[in-house]
Amino acid sequence: MQSFISETLDDILKSTTSFENVVFVLPSQRAGVFVKNTLKDKISTGFLPQILNIEQFVSEISEIKKIDSIQLLFHFYAIYKEIEGKPDSFDVFSSWAITVLQDFNEVDQHLINSKEIFIYLRDIERLRKWSVKGTFKETELMKDHYSFMEKLGEYYTAFYQFLINNKKGYQGVLYREATNKVAGFIEKNIHKKFFFIGFNALNKSEEFLFQRFLETGKSQVYWDIDISFLKSNHQAGNFIRKYKSKWKYYEKNALKIVGNNFSTPKNIQVIGASKNITQVKHSGEILQNFSNHNNTALVLADETLLPITLNSLPKNVEAINITMGYPLKDIPTSNLIFAVFQLFLTQDKLQKSASNQFYYKDVLRFIKHANIYKLFSEQNIAIDVILDKTIIARNSMFVDVETIESISKKLTNKEVLLSIFNPFNGISDFLERIINLINLIKENTTDLEKEYLYRFYTAFRQLQNLHSEFHFIQDLKTLHQFFIQLIQSESLSFQGEPLQGLQLMGMLETRVLDFENVIITSVNEGILPANSKQNSFIPFDVKTEFNLPTYREKDAIFSYHFFRLIQRAKNIFILYNTENDAFGGGEKSRFITQLEMMNIHIDQKIVSPKVVSSSIDLKEFKKNEEVSNRLKELAEKGLSPSAITNYLYNPIAFYKQKILKIKEFEDVEETVAVNTMGTVVHETLEELYKPFIGRFLTFDDVSAMQKKVKNLVEKHFAIQFKNGDLKTGKNRLIFEVANRFVVNFLKQESAILKDEKNTLKIIATEQNLKTDISIDGIDFPIKIHGQVDRIDELNGVTRIIDYKTGMVKASDLKITDFTSIQDYKYNKSIQVLLYAFLYTQNENYDFNTPLEAGIISFKNLKSGFLKMNFSSNYRTPDNLITQEKLDEFMEEIKSLILEIYNPEISFKEPLELAF
C-alpha cells in the first residue's frame, strides 16, 4: 500500500529538487510529523520544507494571534457590558455567549456580509411579532429575546473591531483578515512555493485563499480523492467535485491526486455488538490478533469512549499514540475541585456561613477523595478512625472548623488543607486556595496524576489572571457554573511518539493519514454522521439562504473522512451498536449501507459479550477451637430470640456478629432510621405505662396518658436522635408518624376500657427474662434471654405482647406444624413463642390462667392484638399457648441450637443469598 503522503511527495519531487523555499500546508499538525518522516526517506540531503497546519498558515497571513475560548469570553463580556444598560450576570452571559461566538466564527470563516445577515435575523424576529390586529402580547422572556436579536449585529461589530485593534481573535477573524491581506503576503513570498495537501471541505475563506495561491502558478493543491467517489454522485466527493467544476484554475488543469485504491481487494468486516462496552472489548480482541501495531489505527467515532478504551487494550499493545484530548470532566482531579466548591455552596444554601459550619457529607467527600486521603495515609494517620470518633459518633450533620482542625492536627502542611475551610475573602482568595491545594498534593503523585494536576493548575492560574484584570466573577456560584462549562469544553492533550505503536484517534484526526489496519467503532446513525441538531442562533433556512454549512454539509464531511480512511486499508473492522437506546444506538450508519451497495465483499457478523459461567463458592467458616470457645462464652452470656432468627436467616451474619463481634457500619443518622423511630415508640410507651405496673388501668388513666404523648415523643427523639433536626423535611414527617402511632394505640386502649366489662391489668413493661436450658449433646447449659415489651392481663387472659412499628399480618403468626419452624419465614412466631417460654419459666407459670402471645403492629393497628394461631381452620382459631405446645416448640429450638453448637457443621452461606 502506497500512502497518500508518499504518492504526493513522489509527484512533488518530480518538479521540486530543493525544499529551501517550499511550504507545505496541511489540515493538522500531526499530519506534518508523518510528512517529515516519509520525506526524509525520499531525499538524501538538503533542507526540509516549512510545514504548517492550516491554522498556523492563516495566522501568519492575517498577522493576528488566535486566543483561547476563555479569554474570548472575558473580552466579549467587556464589550457586551459597554453596549448593554442592564447586562446579564457573567454566569448567565456565558451560557449563551459560547453559542454566539460559534456563530460569529462561522459567519467570518465563510465571508458572510455580517451587516446583511444580522439585519436579516432582526427582520425575521420583527415579522414574528407583527400582528394584523396591531396587538401582540409579549412576555418578559420574549422581550429579552427580541432585544437580544436586535443587538446581535451591534455586538458583532463592536467585538470584531476590538479584536482587530488588539491583533487577536477567534479563528473566523483570522480567516477574514487573511483574505484581506493575502495579496500582500503573496507579494512578500513570491519566491516561495506553496503546496496544500490533503484538504476536502473548505470554508469560503479557504476557497478564496487557495484560488489566489493557485493563480500565482507556483502553488499546487493535492486532493485525496478516489475515482469511485469523484466520478459518481457519492456524497464523499461532493466538495471536490464542486471545486473541480467551479474553480477557474481547473478549467485548464487537472486535479491532483485522483487514486483508484477503493476497488483493490480488502478484508472488510462489519460487526454488530450490543452496547458500547462490547464494541470496545471486541476491538481489543481484534488488536490482540495483530503481532505489530505500527500500521494500525483504532478510530473512535464516539470520543467519549476513550476512558473505557484505554482500560480495554490488550497486553500486546506495547506503544500507543493518542491523538484526541481526554475530557477534563472525566479526570479524577475534577471531583476534588467540585468537592471544594460543594463545601461552600452547601454551606451557603443551608445558611451556615455565619457559624462557618460545613455539611458532614461534603467534609467526608473532600477528606476521602483519593488525593487528600493519601496525604493522611502516607503519614500513618488512621483517618477512618478519627472520622468515626469526631463526626459519626456525634451524629452531627454539621462540622465546625475546630473539628476539622482536630482531624488534621497530626498532618504536615496542615495549614494549606485548613485554609480551604476558612471563610474566603473574594474569588481571588478562593482561586489561590485551589492553586495551593494543587501544589500540596502534587508532591507524591504519579506522572499521569501530575499531568492532570498541571492542566488544572494552568486553568486556575488563567482564571485568576483574567479575574484580576476584569473582576467579572462576583460570587462562588458564578465561578462554579463557569468551571462546569470549562471542564465540559476543555480537554487534556496527550503527547506521545506519533510514529510508533497503535494510533488511537477520533475521525477528524485521520485526515491525510493512511493505515493498513483500521478499526472504527460506534458507526451508528447519530454518531457517524452526527445528528442534525444544531446549536446556533442562526436558523436552518437563514443558513441555507447565506450558504452557511448545515447538517447536510457536515454529513458529507464525515462521509468523505469515513470512505477516505478505508480506501487504502487492507483490513477494515467496522463496529456498530445493535442495541436500540436513546444515545443513537441500534441503527447502523448509512455509511455501512452505502458500503454494502457498492458490490464489495463484506463479512458481516454479530458478536455478544462472552458469558463465563462460574460455580458459586458459598462462604463457609468451620468451627475450630477458638469458635467453640466463643460459642461457649455466648452460651453463658445468653442467646436472644433475634440472634436465633438471625442464624436462620444467614449463618454467616450470625458468625460475624456473635463470633467475630463485627458491628454494622455506623454513619451519621441524617434522616431518622426505622430502628430509631421504633426505639422512640417503645421508650415512650414504657414511660407511659411504667407507673401502672401491677395495677388495673382505667379509662381516665389512658386519657391522662394521651396528654403526655407529644412531650414524651419529643424527649425520646432528643435522646435517640441526638443533634438531629426534627423541624423540617422527612424527619418532621417521621416525628409525626411516631406521635400518631402512640396516639392511635392509646385510642385503641381507650376503646377497650370504655366498656366497663373489660378489665386490663399491666403486669410488666420492657421486662428482661432469662432461663437456662439443657440440650442433649451439649455438655453445658445454654442461657436464653430476651426483653418483652409488655405483659398484661385482659379479662383474665395473660398476654405476652411484642410491639412492632413495621407491618405484621395475622398470617405471620400462624403455625400448624412445629417440625417446619426452622424456617426464617416463621421468625416472628419464634420470637413471640420464645418470649412466652421465658415468661413461663421465670414465673413458674401453672397454665391455670389462659396464656396468649402475639404482636401489636402499629402499621396494622386496625387488626388489634395479633395472636399466635395454631389452627389450620380459619373459622376456629386456636390462640391458647399450652405446656404441650411450648414443649413441642422448644424441642425444635433445641435442635436448632444443637446445630449451632455442633463442631461438625460449619457456618455456611445460604444459596439464595449468594447472588
Side-chain angles (χ1 to χ4, degrees):
M1 175 197 78
Q2 185 179 20
S3 68
F4 167 69
I5 290 173
S6 177
E7 199 173 341
T8 300
L9 293 176
D10 285 344
D11 190 74
I12 292 172
L13 285 168
K14 291 176 184 177
S15 58
T16 307
T17 55
S18 171
F19 290 95
E20 188 173 353
N21 290 308
V22 172
V23 179
F24 285 176
V25 181
L26 299 160
S28 67
Q29 189 68 33
R30 191 160 301 276
V33 179
F34 285 85
V35 168
K36 284 181 183 177
N37 186 60
T38 306
L39 185 58
K40 71 179 177 58
D41 294 331
K42 292 182 179 290
I43 59 174
S44 53
T45 57
F47 290 99
L48 285 172
Q50 182 184 5
I51 299 177
L52 302 172
N53 64 38
I54 188 64
E55 288 185 8
Q56 293 168 333
F57 179 65
V58 170
S59 179
E60 192 174 313
I61 299 173
S62 66
E63 299 174 333
I64 293 175
K65 180 186 176 184
K66 184 185 175 186
I67 57 174
D68 62 44
S69 58
I70 299 177
Q71 292 182 69
L72 272 175
L73 211 55
F74 276 82
H75 288 304
F76 186 26
Y77 190 58
I79 299 300
Y80 165 77
K81 285 181 72 178
E82 290 175 7
I83 296 172
E84 285 292 337
K86 294 181 179 179
D88 290 339
S89 61
F90 185 70
D91 59 323
V92 174
F93 165 82
S94 59
S95 66
W96 56 259
I98 293 172
T99 304
V100 169
L101 287 172
Q102 289 171 354
D103 288 338
F104 288 175
N105 183 56
E106 204 166 63
V107 165
D108 287 327
Q109 282 186 335
H110 291 271
L111 303 178
I112 305 300
N113 186 311
S114 58
K115 187 176 180 181
E116 286 183 11
I117 192 169
F118 290 124
I119 289 175
Y120 196 95
L121 285 169
R122 181 203 67 189
D123 291 346
I124 287 174
E125 297 302 327
R126 287 181 178 180
L127 283 170
R128 281 180 179 167
K129 63 177 182 176
W130 178 81
S131 171
V132 176
K133 296 179 181 179
T135 57
F136 183 77
K137 291 184 180 180
E138 293 182 6
T139 64
E140 287 300 316
L141 189 63
M142 292 169 70
K143 287 178 182 177
D144 288 345
H145 176 70
Y146 292 137
S147 174
F148 166 74
M149 295 306 291
E150 289 276 343
K151 293 183 178 179
L152 201 54
E154 192 177 348
Y155 298 154
Y156 169 85
T157 304
F159 189 44
Y160 190 93
Q161 195 57 52
F162 167 81
L163 293 173
I164 296 302
N165 293 341
N166 289 274
K167 291 191 174 296
K168 54 188 175 186
Y170 50 84
Q171 199 174 43
V173 173
L174 273 64
Y175 272 105
R176 194 184 283 272
E177 289 302 305
T179 59
N180 295 332
K181 298 176 181 179
V182 67
F185 180 83
I186 290 173
E187 192 175 336
K188 277 189 213 174
N189 296 277
I190 195 67
H191 57 291
K192 291 184 179 181
K193 283 185 178 181
F194 290 88
F195 294 98
F196 302 90
I197 302 169
F199 289 88
N200 171 50
L202 306 177
N203 57 48
K204 288 290 190 298
S205 299
E206 288 168 339
E207 284 191 54
F208 180 84
L209 294 172
F210 281 30
Q211 290 183 77
R212 289 302 306 270
F213 277 95
L214 286 174
E215 288 170 7
T216 64
K218 299 183 70 175
S219 298
Q220 189 61 263
V221 180
Y222 285 88
W223 309 100
D224 186 6
I225 187 71
D226 194 271
I227 196 168
S228 302
F229 309 119
L230 185 66
K231 297 292 185 183
S232 66
N233 266 341
H234 199 285
Q235 196 178 27
N238 278 5
F239 293 101
I240 297 176
R241 280 198 301 272
K242 183 181 78 170
Y243 308 145
K244 184 177 184 297
S245 63
K246 293 187 175 180
W247 287 12
K248 190 175 180 181
Y249 176 82
Y250 289 119
E251 292 176 4
K252 298 179 180 179
N253 299 279
L255 286 174
K256 292 188 175 187
I257 291 173
V258 178
N260 191 17
N261 299 292
F262 189 76
S263 58
T264 57
K266 303 177 190 303
N267 168 32
I268 302 177
Q269 292 187 29
V270 174
I271 304 163
S274 59
K275 300 293 184 182
N276 292 328
I277 297 292
T278 309
Q279 290 185 72
V280 172
K281 293 293 183 185
H282 191 71
S283 298
E285 292 176 16
I286 295 170
L287 289 169
Q288 202 163 14
N289 296 326
F290 295 137
S291 57
N292 188 303
H293 300 99
N294 283 343
N295 205 4
T296 302
L298 174 55
V299 181
L300 303 181
D302 181 0
E303 296 187 11
T304 61
L305 297 183
L306 177 61
I308 59 173
T309 302
L310 292 173
N311 290 319
S312 303
L313 295 174
K315 292 180 180 178
N316 68 333
V317 177
E318 296 177 354
I320 181 172
N321 182 50
I322 304 169
T323 60
M324 66 180 80
Y326 196 99
L328 289 187
K329 63 183 176 64
D330 293 329
I331 292 174
T333 308
S334 64
N335 292 330
L336 175 61
I337 308 299
F338 275 126
V340 178
F341 273 110
Q342 203 60 48
L343 284 167
F344 292 95
L345 291 171
T346 308
Q347 183 190 63
D348 182 60
K349 181 181 178 182
L350 300 177
Q351 299 178 350
K352 293 291 180 179
S353 300
S355 57
N356 200 31
Q357 290 182 311
F358 300 92
Y359 183 46
Y360 83 98
K361 282 188 178 179
D362 294 337
V363 175
L364 294 177
R365 180 186 179 191
F366 174 74
I367 291 176
K368 289 193 172 185
H369 185 276
N371 291 113
I372 304 300
Y373 194 89
K374 193 175 180 181
L375 293 175
F376 288 95
S377 59
E378 284 173 349
Q379 296 178 35
N380 297 318
I381 299 172
I383 187 62
D384 289 315
V385 175
I386 295 171
L387 290 173
D388 283 344
K389 288 181 178 178
T390 54
I391 296 178
I392 296 171
R394 296 176 188 174
N395 197 46
S396 177
M397 288 202 327
F398 298 99
V399 182
D400 55 29
V401 175
E402 288 73 22
T403 302
I404 296 164
E405 285 177 353
S406 69
I407 291 170
S408 313
K409 63 183 177 181
K410 295 181 181 179
L411 189 67
T412 309
N413 298 324
K414 63 181 179 182
E415 293 77 16
V416 175
L417 198 64
L418 289 174
S419 71
I420 293 292
F421 296 91
N422 292 331
F424 59 92
N425 302 313
I427 298 302
S428 294
D429 183 23
F430 183 83
L431 292 170
E432 189 62 36
R433 290 182 194 184
I434 298 287
I435 292 167
N436 291 338
L437 181 64
I438 292 172
N439 282 326
L440 173 65
I441 62 181
K442 75 177 181 186
E443 299 303 326
N444 298 309
T445 53
T446 63
D447 290 341
L448 183 58
E449 287 173 330
K450 280 186 172 66
E451 288 292 336
Y452 294 162
L453 292 170
Y454 181 72
R455 181 65 185 85
F456 278 97
Y457 176 85
T458 55
F460 278 100
R461 272 293 178 215
Q462 185 183 21
L463 274 175
Q464 194 177 45
N465 294 336
L466 289 168
H467 177 69
S468 299
E469 182 181 352
F470 294 99
H471 298 286
F472 291 156
I473 302 175
Q474 298 298 322
D475 53 51
L476 194 64
K477 184 181 177 183
T478 303
L479 180 63
H480 179 244
Q481 291 297 324
F482 188 73
F483 178 70
I484 291 172
Q485 292 175 15
L486 173 69
I487 65 169
Q488 286 176 343
S489 59
E490 296 292 317
S491 60
L492 173 67
S493 298
F494 288 95
Q495 293 181 346
E497 175 48 62
L499 303 172
Q500 290 182 7
L502 174 69
Q503 301 294 316
L504 182 53
M505 47 182 44
M507 185 58 72
L508 291 177
E509 283 77 31
T510 64
R511 290 172 295 182
V512 185
L513 307 180
D514 293 299
F515 302 94
E516 192 171 297
N517 308 307
V518 174
I519 305 167
I520 314 174
T521 65
S522 304
V523 187
N524 285 86
E525 284 296 311
I527 300 175
L528 191 67
N531 59 45
S532 58
K533 182 182 176 183
Q534 58 177 18
N535 192 19
S536 173
F537 285 108
I538 306 175
F540 176 82
D541 53 346
V542 178
K543 287 194 171 190
T544 305
E545 175 67 24
F546 285 87
N547 292 318
L548 283 169
T550 63
Y551 71 88
R552 296 169 182 166
E553 285 72 27
K554 289 174 183 174
D555 286 357
I557 290 170
F558 279 102
S559 176
Y560 171 81
H561 290 315
F562 176 81
F563 286 100
R564 193 215 66 79
L565 178 61
I566 66 177
Q567 67 187 20
R568 291 184 180 83
K570 290 183 180 178
N571 300 302
I572 302 149
F573 303 89
I574 301 169
L575 291 95
Y576 67 95
N577 183 6
T578 58
E579 294 299 308
N580 204 357
D581 55 33
F583 300 101
E587 185 179 358
K588 62 185 178 183
S589 171
R590 69 194 74 168
F591 299 156
I592 296 177
T593 307
Q594 291 168 12
L595 200 58
E596 291 167 350
M597 296 175 67
M598 289 180 170
N599 297 321
I600 295 174
H601 177 71
I602 298 172
D603 293 323
Q604 301 207 34
K605 63 178 180 179
I606 303 292
V607 295
S608 56
K610 291 182 179 178
V611 180
V612 181
S613 59
S614 58
S615 58
I616 300 170
D617 295 327
L618 298 175
K619 294 175 185 175
E620 184 176 1
F621 298 100
K622 296 188 180 300
K623 295 170 184 171
N624 56 23
E625 187 177 347
E626 290 181 21
V627 173
S628 297
N629 291 336
R630 178 72 193 110
L631 283 169
K632 192 171 183 179
E633 290 175 20
L634 191 60
E636 293 172 4
K637 186 180 178 182
L639 282 170
S640 66
S642 59
I644 293 171
T645 56
N646 189 25
Y647 176 81
L648 276 176
Y649 176 68
N650 185 2
I652 297 299
F654 175 88
Y655 172 76
K656 289 178 179 178
Q657 291 174 14
K658 299 300 180 182
I659 307 302
L660 300 181
K661 299 182 181 180
I662 297 174
K663 294 182 180 179
E664 288 187 9
F665 173 76
E666 290 186 8
D667 199 356
V668 172
E669 195 178 335
E670 188 175 349
T671 301
V672 177
V674 174
N675 61 332
T676 301
M677 184 182 75
T679 302
V680 169
V681 172
H682 279 68
E683 296 291 336
T684 301
L685 288 173
E686 183 189 12
E687 190 164 344
L688 286 170
Y689 281 90
K690 201 168 187 178
F692 301 97
I693 292 174
R695 289 173 50 188
F696 284 95
L697 272 182
T698 66
F699 181 82
D700 292 337
D701 292 334
V702 178
S703 298
M705 287 185 199
Q706 289 174 325
K707 296 174 183 177
K708 301 177 183 178
V709 172
K710 190 167 185 180
N711 289 335
L712 287 177
V713 171
E714 286 178 350
K715 171 187 171 182
H716 289 290
F717 261 117
I719 296 169
Q720 301 298 329
F721 188 53
K722 51 189 175 184
N723 299 318
D725 181 13
L726 291 169
K727 295 176 183 177
T728 58
K730 283 185 180 180
N731 290 340
R732 183 65 192 178
L733 293 175
I734 293 168
F735 170 82
E736 293 296 341
V737 168
N739 187 65
R740 185 67 58 85
F741 277 170
V742 179
V743 169
N744 289 345
F745 174 71
L746 292 176
K747 282 181 180 178
Q748 197 175 70
E749 296 277 85
S750 296
I752 293 171
L753 295 171
K754 199 170 185 180
D755 186 345
E756 294 179 357
K757 295 178 183 179
N758 293 326
T759 59
L760 178 61
K761 182 182 180 180
I762 304 300
I763 297 173
T765 62
E766 301 297 332
Q767 184 174 7
N768 289 308
L769 304 172
K770 59 185 176 180
T771 190
D772 290 339
I773 61 173
S774 297
I775 301 174
D776 293 338
I778 301 176
D779 55 4
F780 47 83
I782 305 293
K783 181 184 286 184
I784 306 289
H785 71 90
Q787 189 177 55
V788 181
D789 293 332
R790 171 169 158 173
I791 304 168
D792 66 22
E793 185 181 302
L794 178 63
N795 298 330
V797 178
T798 303
R799 303 190 304 175
I800 311 295
I801 300 172
D802 188 26
Y803 296 140
K804 296 288 185 189
T805 50
M807 171 60 76
V808 181
K809 299 176 182 176
S811 58
D812 295 326
L813 295 170
K814 185 174 183 177
I815 185 163
T816 57
D817 182 8
F818 285 109
T819 59
S820 62
I821 204 166
Q822 291 188 25
D823 189 322
Y824 183 71
K825 70 180 181 180
Y826 295 110
N827 69 93
K828 293 180 177 64
S829 298
I830 291 171
Q831 285 190 15
V832 168
L833 286 173
L834 275 172
Y835 289 144
F837 170 74
L838 287 169
Y839 177 70
T840 59
Q841 293 295 305
N842 277 252
E843 301 296 325
N844 293 318
Y845 199 73
D846 57 10
F847 291 94
N848 290 327
T849 304
L851 177 66
E852 294 178 346
I855 290 173
I856 291 177
S857 169
F858 289 95
K859 278 193 177 178
N860 191 15
L861 271 177
K862 63 181 180 181
S863 298
F865 176 52
L866 301 169
K867 306 173 186 178
M868 283 297 309
N869 182 10
F870 305 100
S871 173
S872 58
N873 189 338
Y874 72 92
R875 290 192 179 91
T876 56
D878 178 10
N879 304 125
L880 289 180
I881 295 174
T882 64
Q883 183 67 62
E884 292 76 16
K885 288 172 184 173
L886 282 180
D887 289 343
E888 194 176 346
F889 165 71
M890 285 308 297
E891 283 302 313
E892 295 301 322
I893 294 298
K894 288 179 180 180
S895 172
L896 180 63
I897 294 173
L898 184 62
E899 179 184 311
I900 295 173
Y901 280 83
N902 189 337
E904 302 301 320
I905 299 176
S906 304
F907 293 109
K908 196 168 185 178
E909 183 180 25
L911 182 63
E912 60 270 19
L913 297 180
F915 296 96

